[in-house]
Structure formats: structure tokens, C-alpha cells
Amino acid sequence: MEPKKDRKFKVPIQPVPEKRGYEFGGPLGAFGIVFGLPILIYSFPFLCNDVSGCPAPSLLHPSTLSLNQLKKEIGWPQDGLNAFFDTQVTMWVLSYYLLSLALYMFLPGQEVEGTELACKGRLQYKFNAFPSAVLILSGLAAGTYVHGADFAVWTFLWDNYIQVITANLLICTVIALFVYANSFSVPAPGQRNPELRQLAPSGHSGNVLYDFFIGRELNPRVRLPIPFVSDASRTIDIKVWCEMRPGLLGWIIMNLSNMAHQYRTYGYVTDSIILSTAFQAFYVLDGLYMEPALLTTMDVIMDGFGYMLSFGDLVWVPFMYNFQTRYLAVFPLELGLNGILLILAVTGVGYSIFRGANNQKNRFRMDPSDPRVKHIKYIKTASGSKLMTSGWWGLARHINYLGDWLMSWSYSLPTGIAGYTIIESINQSTGEIQKQVVQTPEVRGWGMIFTYFFMLYFGVLLIHREQRDEEKCKRKYGADWDRYTSLVRSRIVPGIY
């Protein structure tokens, strides 16, 4: 009986939640993101399209721009907004989510503990995103082997692109509403908290829109009544599951669909689309393979799960990040050997910085006497932590972000100096309308607004993350952080920023 009493006595008590000020511009910024970013997602495939060009020709002549002409050029559906939703498409998208959920529950996986929470407990996590992705991709490979580029998944995703976006937008919104409503059942301070639930520092401002956007609960979870599986298998950490599963793998699936479309249209696949897809697939699969590392990221440790992460994981990532290959599916650009070598060089530099810096940090944390890092200089903080002041981390305080950003160039560089126009002509022998995709001097470069948007956005995102990192470290280390920053002055780019 004594062990039971001990366990009961050690049930965590909910602490007083930490509270921080507004981020992302507060309620006004939240309003702009919640209602503005979905419009941006929809606008890309219309304004850079396979009907008239990238960009739509009228956009380059605003003085003569008319709404009717623009609708014609962007392929605006005759049914208007009604065409954006399709019940059957939504059900197929839901089936993909259910497949991902089933693989999480029934495939074996690694079970690990998360970082310590404010209530002094640690949540349990199950990780099997990589084998789940391999199984799904293997099924898609088998379907492609049998049916080629006409495999139903590839044609479905291209032909119903807008409706697939809508389905994912609805799903992410429902999830965000659910976790917001459920967050009000988090135990109050001083109450018993056996499920280790707590509010996020930035998520309980009292403003409904802002809290819905930023996320009230830190680690919202659901436990499904599924028999014959372990507790870890039927407990779904909604934040981690959304971050590592449907959207991230969906990004690669969308790229493969774009590649299949290029083959159906032209009968071949270009080196540019192969290169862009390969780099993005490597990034995703590397992240899935290293899934437990997610537990030390700011998203998991500090951020609540609300509309911001739900939309980002399930809509923004798969439908904004795949746009380079969607462009190349319509405009088949050949890079040649020199172009390939240039992109490989930039990516190699980025990967060397990113992986070299992260490996050095991990080795130093695990064993400072490791021969590979024992030469590293450091300062010791009052909390006992060691902050490196030489090696990669002596060049800049967040040098890994520079490598991460340089690697992202490999997604956009294969699109070259982007822009194309679609010229229609009539075949004299058959009378059929033919389309020719060409790059004219007028449109050259304007397509970069769409294909290089990711690079710009990702750079801004990394700077924002760096600023949040700085704020966190300043609170944690106090005067020691000031001493550290006086030695390592650069933030991301040595000598520049």
C-alpha cells in the first residue's frame, strides 16, 4: 500500500502560469494573419497559373487592368467561391489524416520523455513519423510504378488543388477551435494536475482572437479509446503530431504530384524540378528521422498550440513551400551542369554550417572533453551552463540559422530568373487550340515574386526566431548573457547581423 500512497502524494500541482506580453503585433497582427494568410495561399496558384502565365499578364499593365479580364486570365471558376469546396475532396483529405493517425497508433515507435515542465513533470511521447512516411511513400511509389504519372493520387492533387487547400484549411481551423475550447479545462493553479496540462506563457492574455491564434494550452492532448495499444500509442499530442505528420509529409507529396504533372504534360522531367524536390525531400525526411529533437525546440517548449501553428503546419507548409515545383511543372527549366553545380555549392555551404554548428553544440553539451570540441572556449554562467565563445558559435550566436537559410535557397534557385507567359494558337491541321509556355523579356523576373517568396519569408521567420531566442536567453542568464554577447557580437551573419 505504501507505493500507492507515494505515487498519490507525488501527483503534480498546477503552478501559477507564466504570463508574457503580446507577440506578432498583438490582436491586430493576429487578425491580419488569421484572415490574410489564407487569402495569400489561394492567390498564388491564381496569379501564377497554367492558364495565362506567371504572373497573369494584366498584372503587368495595371492601367488597363479590369476585373473581368483578370478573372479570365487567372482561371477564376464560373461557380465563384462555391467551387473552392468539394465534399468528396474533403473526405479524401480526411482519409489521409486518418491514415497518418492509424500509422502513429499501430506502428511501433520510440517512446521518450519530454523536457521538464513548470509543474516538474515530464510528458511521454511516441515517435514513428519516419517509418510512417516511408510506408506512405512506398505505397505512392508502388502506385506510380503501376500507373505511371497518371496515378490517381497525382492527378487528384493537381486537378483539385484549390479544393485540397480548402479541406486542409477547414481541418486546421476545427483543430484550432477544439484546442482553444478544451484549454479552459486546464486545472487552476494549486489544483492537482496528473495529466501535466498547463497554459502557454503567451496564450492567456484574455483577448479571445489573440489567444485563439497564439494558442492557450502548451501541450494539448487527446486520449483515444483504442484497445490493444499502449497508453503512449493512443495518447495524441496534437501539437507534435500536426508539426511532424500530415503537413510536412504532404509538402513532399505535393512536390511529387507537381513532378508527375510535368511528365504528363511534356513527357519528361527536368533537372530543376528533380533538384528542388530532392532538396526539400531530404530536409523533410531528415527532420522526420530526427523527430525526438523536436522536443527541445521553441515550438514545443514555449509556444501554445493554436491557429498559428495549426495553420502553419497543415496549410502554410504544404501549399506555400511546394510552389517552386508547381511553377516548374508548368515551365520546364533545364539548369545544365553549371546551374546544378552552383546550386549544389550554395546548398553544401549551408548544410556544412547548419550541421557543423549543431553537431558541435550537441557534442559540447554531451561531453566537453570530446577531442572534437575540447578546444572550444566558453564562459560559465551562474546557473552552471556553458556558453561557447569559439568555433562555429564564436562566429555568431545563432550561426545555425544562417546555414538553415542558405539551404533554403536550393528550393528557389532551380526556378532561375522566373516568369513565363502562355501563348495560345490554333493548329492548322487539327483545329485544336495549342498552348506554348515561353519566357518573354516582359515577364522575365516577375515570377520570382512567387518562386523566391519562400526565401524571403524564411529569412524573416529566422530573424523573428532569433529575437525570441535572445529574449529567452536574456531572461535565463541575466548578466552572463550580456557578458556573452559582448564576446560574440554577431547574431546570425558574422560581421553583418
Side-chain angles (χ1 to χ4, degrees):
M1 295 300 292
E2 285 301 315
K4 289 185 178 180
K5 288 182 180 179
D6 287 344
R7 284 197 296 269
K8 184 176 181 181
F9 178 77
K10 292 178 181 179
V11 170
I13 301 300
Q14 182 70 277
V16 176
E18 181 185 355
K19 194 167 186 176
R20 297 205 190 109
Y22 287 137
E23 297 182 86
F24 298 96
L28 185 60
F31 178 87
I33 294 173
V34 170
F35 296 100
L37 290 191
I39 295 174
L40 184 64
I41 289 283
Y42 282 120
S43 69
F44 266 51
F46 281 116
L47 301 180
C48 179
N49 58 69
D50 59 350
V51 177
S52 61
C54 180
S58 291
L59 297 177
L60 301 179
H61 304 281
S63 61
T64 60
L65 179 64
S66 69
L67 183 59
N68 288 335
Q69 178 65 19
L70 184 60
K71 283 184 175 181
K72 180 180 177 181
E73 291 178 353
I74 65 176
W76 187 258
Q78 292 183 350
D79 292 342
L81 293 177
N82 292 329
F84 280 52
F85 173 79
D86 183 273
T87 302
Q88 188 175 17
V89 170
T90 301
M91 296 306 296
W92 278 114
V93 173
L94 274 172
S95 69
Y96 165 68
Y97 278 74
L98 292 175
L99 171 62
S100 181
L101 187 61
L103 292 176
Y104 167 80
M105 290 189 293
F106 296 110
L107 280 183
Q110 178 185 7
E111 296 185 12
V112 300
E113 283 188 336
T115 58
E116 189 173 72
L117 300 170
C119 62
K120 305 305 180 183
R122 294 175 184 266
L123 293 170
Q124 297 289 323
Y125 294 85
K126 176 184 175 181
F127 293 122
N128 62 6
F130 183 77
S132 298
V134 169
L135 195 60
I136 292 174
L137 292 174
S138 297
L140 294 173
T144 306
Y145 178 79
V146 174
H147 300 286
D150 292 316
F151 181 41
V153 173
W154 308 141
T155 56
F156 170 84
L157 291 174
W158 184 274
D159 295 340
N160 300 283
Y161 188 74
I162 298 298
Q163 293 84 0
V164 173
I165 291 177
T166 302
N168 282 275
L169 183 60
L170 289 173
I171 292 169
C172 89
T173 303
V174 169
I175 292 175
L177 288 169
F178 169 77
V179 296
Y180 176 78
N182 194 55
S183 69
F184 289 95
S185 62
V186 171
Q191 291 186 347
R192 292 159 55 86
N193 186 25
E195 295 182 341
L196 306 181
R197 299 177 66 191
Q198 61 186 72
L199 298 179
S202 300
H204 50 106
S205 68
N207 182 281
V208 174
L209 177 61
Y210 180 80
D211 291 346
F212 163 75
F213 162 74
I214 206 73
R216 291 191 84 246
E217 189 170 356
L218 184 63
N219 301 294
R221 294 182 154 211
V222 292
R223 185 166 297 171
L224 302 178
I226 306 297
F228 312 118
V229 296
S230 67
D231 185 65
S233 294
R234 60 173 169 261
T235 300
I236 313 300
D237 188 289
I238 299 175
K239 182 201 292 185
V240 171
W241 189 81
C242 286
E243 187 135 342
M244 299 304 293
R245 288 175 180 272
L248 203 57
L249 181 60
W251 172 16
I252 302 308
I253 294 173
M254 296 305 304
N255 282 337
L256 295 174
S257 171
N258 296 338
M259 188 183 293
H261 180 81
Q262 187 187 77
Y263 186 83
R264 286 197 306 272
T265 304
Y266 299 101
Y268 60 87
V269 177
T270 59
D271 54 13
S272 58
I273 200 170
I274 292 173
L275 206 59
S276 187
T277 300
F279 282 130
Q280 294 176 48
F282 175 79
Y283 181 87
V284 170
L285 293 175
D286 179 67
L288 296 180
Y289 185 77
M290 302 295 291
E291 188 179 15
L294 181 70
L295 297 182
T296 61
T297 63
M298 186 179 297
D299 285 357
V300 173
I301 295 174
M302 297 178 60
D303 294 338
F305 185 81
Y307 182 86
M308 178 183 73
L309 287 180
S310 181
F311 174 83
D313 294 340
L314 307 180
V315 181
W316 185 262
V317 167
F319 297 103
M320 184 57 72
Y321 289 14
N322 91 95
F323 207 79
Q324 295 86 9
T325 59
R326 186 172 177 86
Y327 168 89
L328 292 169
V330 180
F331 185 70
L333 177 66
E334 290 286 357
L335 297 171
L337 181 60
N338 290 338
I340 292 174
L341 291 177
L342 174 63
I343 294 169
L344 289 175
V346 173
T347 307
V349 171
Y351 185 77
S352 297
I353 296 172
F354 178 79
R355 186 54 60 201
N358 284 331
N359 283 347
Q360 190 176 78
K361 177 180 66 175
N362 292 335
R363 288 167 183 156
F364 186 80
R365 284 180 174 176
M366 294 295 293
D367 181 12
S369 63
D370 186 316
R372 292 168 292 185
V373 295
K374 67 178 183 180
H375 64 282
I376 297 294
K377 298 177 181 178
Y378 62 89
I379 64 170
K380 194 167 184 177
T381 67
S383 64
S385 300
K386 296 176 180 178
L387 302 177
M388 294 183 286
T389 58
S390 67
W392 284 112
W393 300 92
L395 297 175
R397 303 195 291 271
H398 308 279
I399 189 70
N400 57 324
Y401 287 173
L402 174 61
D404 207 4
W405 187 55
L406 288 175
M407 282 194 296
S408 75
W409 290 23
S410 63
Y411 310 163
S412 299
L413 287 176
T415 64
I417 309 299
Y420 61 80
T421 188
I422 297 178
I423 300 174
E424 292 185 348
S425 61
I426 298 177
N427 188 310
Q428 298 299 324
S429 58
T430 63
E432 295 179 349
I433 296 177
Q434 294 179 324
K435 290 185 177 181
Q436 184 180 11
V437 182
V438 298
Q439 186 175 81
T440 62
E442 183 183 40
V443 300
R444 179 176 168 82
W446 286 105
M448 295 174 71
I449 295 172
F450 304 96
T451 64
Y452 285 77
F453 174 84
F454 171 79
M455 278 177 54
L456 176 63
Y457 155 77
F458 195 54
V460 172
L461 176 66
L462 290 175
I463 291 174
H464 181 259
R465 283 183 179 175
E466 171 267 324
Q467 291 173 345
R468 297 180 75 197
D469 285 344
E470 290 278 321
E471 179 187 351
K472 173 187 172 184
C473 291
K474 175 63 176 175
R475 287 198 308 269
K476 181 177 181 180
Y477 300 116
D480 288 324
W481 186 252
D482 294 332
R483 184 160 58 100
Y484 170 67
T485 56
S486 70
L487 296 172
V488 184
R489 295 183 177 277
S490 296
R491 293 169 174 258
I492 297 177
V493 185
I496 299 176
Y497 175 76

